[in-house]
Amino acid sequence: GYARQVIANAQALAEGLAAEGMRPVSGGTDTHLALIDLREAGVTGTEAEQRCDAARITLNKNAIPYDPQPPMTASGIRVGTPAITTQGMTEGNAKEISALIARAVRDPGSAEEVAAGVAALVEAHPAYARS
């Protein structure tokens, strides 16, 4: 069902980000969201949130356990999968999204290209049936 798919998508997203050197804090997730430690990527949560926003990806900065950064900067991001699951996306799409997130986070100059990738994914999975 839907809830099971939300979790499967969150696990695929966390695994995809881990493969990109962005470590899930608890080693993965059993819920609808994952907390990702960005310290190895050398990017703060605030920078990641802004870069993803510029690339049309919505996520939130989030403190990680024993975070060296102040809360308003943070060293992590929180990613969730209910929205993509509602749009009919599955694990393969979640892996694609992890690659898009990683590119947006690492390379601020890629925002336009990443946004195009996001648009293509969204267009292939409309949230509501087109009438």
Side-chain angles (χ1 to χ4, degrees), residues 7-102:
I7 294 168
N9 285 348
Q11 289 169 337
L13 188 61
E15 284 163 20
L17 288 167
E20 296 278 358
M22 299 177 181
R23 188 182 65 84
V25 165
S26 58
T29 182
D30 296 314
T31 69
H32 61 291
L33 53 82
L35 180 57
I36 309 297
D37 180 347
L38 297 175
R39 287 176 303 172
E40 282 177 39
V43 178
T44 68
T46 297
E47 289 167 331
E49 183 180 320
Q50 290 166 345
R51 291 172 185 187
C52 286
D53 196 48
R56 318 282 299 149
I57 296 168
T58 303
L59 49 74
N60 297 99
K61 67 176 182 253
N62 208 98
I64 61 171
Y66 310 106
D67 201 322
Q69 295 284 351
M72 289 311 292
T73 304
S75 294
I77 50 173
R78 189 177 69 233
V79 294
T81 52
I84 67 165
T85 307
T86 300
Q87 287 174 262
M89 295 189 202
T90 57
E91 294 91 333
N93 303 121
K95 294 278 190 191
E96 277 180 72
I97 291 166
S98 64
L100 290 167
I101 290 172

